[in-house]
Amino acid sequence: MGGGDKPKTDRQGSGQEALHLEAFTDYERITPAQTDVMVLASVKAAPREDEERRAPITICAAIDRSGSMNKHLPLLKETLKFMVQQLRSDDRLSLISFDHEVKVELPLTNMDAAGKTHAEKAIDGMKDRGQTNLSGGLIAALQQFYNVPSADASLVESVLLFTDGKANVGITDTPTIERATRSMLAQIGRQTCVFTFGYGSEHDAGMLRAISDAGSGLFYYIDNVDCIPESFCDCLGGLLSVSAQNIQLSFVAADDVMLHHPLTPYKVTTATQSKQYLVTIPDIYCEEEKCVLIKATVPKNIDLVDAAHVNILTCHIQYFDVVECIPRQGVVAALVIQDKACVRPVLATSNDQVQLQLLRVQAAETIDQANVVANRGDLNRARDMLNACVVRIEGSQVRCHPLAMHISQTIRDSVSGLANRMAYLQIGRSQLTNYSQSHWQQRSNTDSSRDLKPRAERYLVPPGATAMEVLRNPTVPACPSISSAAKLTSPYRVSSKVAMCKRYASSSNEQ
């Protein structure tokens, strides 16, 4: 396991454990002196043995039908109808349309044969018109869940918000609509996720990202009509494969060991400063992996005689198994060897996993910072920040790992959206927002299987901005697959999402 002992799990139900917990450290052996050790907690969801066995879901789709949606609405309707056909009789669907007004096209309805007929009729009846009351559509969608008593609620509940423009009716500023989203979710009082889909270049990516962050969901950037089905199926495939919810990771320091704040975007609760932290992960899909990094300072051991195993921390996990409908828990300890004969710390075989997660965190932070800088108008500095990040990744020991290659590719792709102010406003801002959230959440939110080059070539980039010599560390041999790869499938994309995309393609070919 490389830094952790064998996890102990308390089974409270039959069948395979939904989640597997491991702990990794960057060092296997350390000196008696005070040493900082990075610990990686990895939570992996098992594949689904029976694809038909899943929890019922409830979805409310809030659809922007303002005048500017006329070019997107036909294909969006088609994908909505596809979703209807994938739902079962114990699933429920609601449809909300909004322009300057808000209309409940379909209240929450079970998707049996009659329900599907009503849903398709409601979808066909939507016509584009008017302005964009985004907040009204969102709140009306959340209201559908608020009206359902918790005893009658599905385990998996989600809002899907589709828009191509900026909010110009109702609540129009990001902080207020984010607060309204959090307030509504708090009143609902149970796990309800919000996913947002932004079409074209006119939507407010920052607002849609804030809404999805508040709702523990994702923001999908759809830069052309052809991407609608792929992004939609990516989202739906994930919702149909939720494995566990309310995952609570508790880090408890061993005696005299000091813990630092976990490096994660998820909610962190400090039980005891430097000694105990609780990280809450809203949910996880089958086959997904969620990683959390935490630094531990191991104290100096002046009484060490030879070598001894040192317990750094204990990681406890509690979660709700959505398929089995039961709570589960487990525990694992992170260990290192403190050796008097050791002159300098010795890297563990698990160091690669730790380094990959560090790169992922650094990349997400850099993309966020570059977006802020670019928004202020300093595109040169933003490009330099992204290029420097690629150099770090491709100069690292894990540069040929699929995840490192994917992160590097997304950053290079993002640089093309910083060619000039127009490129940033039309592509770069949404692209950076999209990629950053994907890396933070360790989850796909883009059509990552398509060729990335066409978007990168829409604008002429200033000399050196994307040139390979800038992206290469000349002292480190490049991995051939990096420089030649035009397509990289996201390591975040689990099989259920891929299968849903293939199912859509097959259904389209049959029509």
Side-chain angles (χ1 to χ4, degrees):
M1 186 173 294
D5 64 359
K6 187 175 181 180
K8 302 170 184 177
T9 306
D10 177 17
R11 283 181 167 80
Q12 300 185 37
S14 60
Q16 181 184 16
E17 288 292 336
L19 304 184
H20 179 64
L21 173 66
E22 291 185 282
F24 302 98
T25 59
D26 55 352
Y27 293 130
E28 176 183 8
R29 192 177 294 265
I30 62 175
T31 72
Q34 178 176 300
T35 307
D36 287 336
V37 178
M38 293 301 300
V39 179
L40 173 71
S42 165
V43 180
K44 290 183 181 179
R48 179 168 294 164
E49 295 179 349
D50 182 358
E51 293 187 1
E52 297 302 316
R53 190 162 181 259
R54 64 168 176 83
I57 69 172
T58 300
I59 293 175
C60 183
I63 301 123
D64 179 355
R65 64 169 186 179
S66 60
S68 58
M69 279 290 287
N70 62 336
K71 59 185 176 182
H72 304 301
L73 208 50
L75 188 51
L76 176 55
K77 287 183 177 183
E78 180 183 317
T79 53
L80 286 170
K81 289 182 181 179
F82 170 77
M83 176 183 68
V84 168
Q85 294 308 314
Q86 306 312 306
L87 300 180
R88 304 184 313 205
S89 59
D90 56 350
D91 298 323
R92 286 180 289 184
L93 175 67
S94 175
L95 299 171
I96 307 289
S97 67
F98 63 92
D99 41 53
H100 51 281
E101 298 177 339
V102 178
K103 180 181 179 182
V104 179
E105 303 281 358
L106 180 77
L108 282 177
T109 304
N110 281 88
M111 287 295 98
D112 52 20
K116 289 182 178 181
T117 299
H118 289 310
E120 292 189 353
K121 183 178 179 180
I123 292 168
D124 284 332
M126 293 184 197
K127 307 295 182 184
D128 58 276
R129 65 169 202 176
Q131 295 179 293
T132 308
N133 185 359
L134 189 151
S135 63
L138 172 62
I139 293 172
L142 290 169
Q143 187 73 35
Q144 295 291 303
F145 295 103
Y146 177 78
N147 293 336
V148 176
S150 294
D152 299 329
S154 301
L155 287 175
V156 181
E157 296 183 327
S158 294
V159 171
L160 310 184
L161 175 71
F162 304 87
T163 184
D164 74 333
K166 293 180 172 64
N168 50 29
V169 177
I171 302 173
T172 58
D173 65 289
T174 298
T176 304
I177 198 168
E178 181 182 3
R179 286 196 301 272
T181 303
R182 293 187 186 278
S183 175
M184 280 296 300
L185 290 169
Q187 291 181 55
I188 292 169
R190 56 184 183 270
Q191 179 69 40
T192 303
C193 296
V194 182
F195 295 82
T196 58
F197 298 76
Y199 296 80
S201 60
E202 297 301 319
H203 65 271
D204 187 336
M207 175 178 285
L208 296 184
R209 163 77 182 268
I211 292 170
S212 64
D213 279 342
S216 301
L218 288 171
F219 158 61
Y220 285 82
Y221 165 45
I222 301 174
D223 64 340
N224 64 70
V225 173
D226 294 337
C227 300
I228 293 175
E230 188 82 18
S231 299
F232 187 85
C233 291
D234 182 273
C235 178
L236 181 60
L239 292 176
L240 294 178
S241 67
V242 174
S243 177
Q245 291 179 330
N246 194 30
I247 300 120
Q248 305 276 335
L249 278 178
S250 178
F251 296 93
V252 182
D255 292 341
D256 299 326
V257 173
M258 183 179 71
L259 298 181
H260 301 255
H261 197 277
L263 297 175
T264 178
Y266 300 116
K267 179 182 177 182
V268 178
T269 304
T270 305
T272 305
Q273 189 70 33
S274 303
K275 297 300 292 184
Q276 186 172 354
Y277 294 94
L278 178 67
V279 176
T280 302
I281 302 172
D283 60 24
I284 190 169
Y285 301 155
C286 290
E287 300 180 12
E288 270 194 331
E289 179 182 18
K290 299 293 187 183
C291 297
V292 177
L293 274 174
I294 187 168
K295 184 167 71 173
T297 301
V298 181
K300 181 178 180 180
N301 189 346
I302 59 175
D303 299 323
L304 188 65
V305 176
D306 188 9
H309 280 90
V310 177
N311 183 10
I312 300 176
L313 60 82
T314 304
C315 183
H316 301 263
I317 186 171
Q318 292 182 325
Y319 62 94
F320 187 81
D321 186 328
V322 169
V323 177
E324 296 287 348
C325 291
I326 54 173
R328 296 187 188 270
Q329 59 184 336
V331 62
V332 67
L335 309 172
V336 293
I337 299 173
Q338 202 165 32
D339 189 350
K340 188 174 184 179
C342 189
V343 178
R344 61 180 62 88
V346 178
L347 291 176
T349 55
S350 58
N351 181 53
D352 281 0
Q353 288 96 318
V354 176
Q355 294 306 313
L356 278 169
Q357 180 63 11
L358 278 171
L359 285 178
R360 176 158 46 196
V361 170
Q362 292 167 359
E365 288 177 340
T366 300
I367 294 172
D368 280 338
Q369 293 164 2
N371 206 358
V372 171
V373 170
N375 197 47
R376 293 171 180 165
D378 194 345
L379 299 180
N380 288 331
R381 184 182 168 209
R383 285 194 298 267
D384 289 343
M385 293 167 67
L386 294 175
N387 285 332
C389 186
V390 173
V391 170
R392 286 197 302 272
I393 294 171
E394 297 186 2
S396 72
Q397 66 193 48
V398 294
R399 63 188 178 279
C400 290
H401 189 281
L403 176 57
M405 293 169 62
H406 171 69
I407 295 172
S408 178
Q409 181 74 23
T410 60
I411 296 175
R412 288 202 303 270
D413 187 38
S414 298
V415 173
S416 66
L418 299 174
N420 50 54
R421 189 65 181 171
M422 182 64 70
Y424 173 70
L425 294 177
Q426 294 194 349
I427 292 180
R429 181 163 51 190
S430 296
Q431 201 172 56
L432 290 166
T433 302
N434 181 260
Y435 284 143
S436 163
Q437 190 184 43
S438 177
H439 295 318
W440 275 125
Q441 298 294 334
Q442 303 167 54
R443 179 171 282 176
S444 63
N445 64 349
T446 184
D447 176 6
S448 53
S449 62
R450 72 178 182 269
D451 194 334
L452 295 176
K453 284 186 175 178
R455 281 195 293 175
E457 293 173 354
R458 290 182 191 171
Y459 297 88
L460 292 176
V461 181
T466 59
M468 292 310 296
E469 59 267 22
V470 175
L471 303 179
R472 293 276 177 254
N473 182 340
T475 63
V476 180
C479 185
S481 58
I482 296 179
S483 58
S484 63
K487 284 186 179 181
L488 284 178
T489 299
S490 169
Y492 303 139
R493 175 166 281 194
V494 295
S495 62
S496 60
K497 295 188 170 193
V498 176
M500 186 61 66
C501 293
K502 289 181 178 178
R503 195 178 302 172
Y504 179 87
S506 176
S507 69
S508 298
N509 292 334
E510 292 173 358
Q511 294 175 359

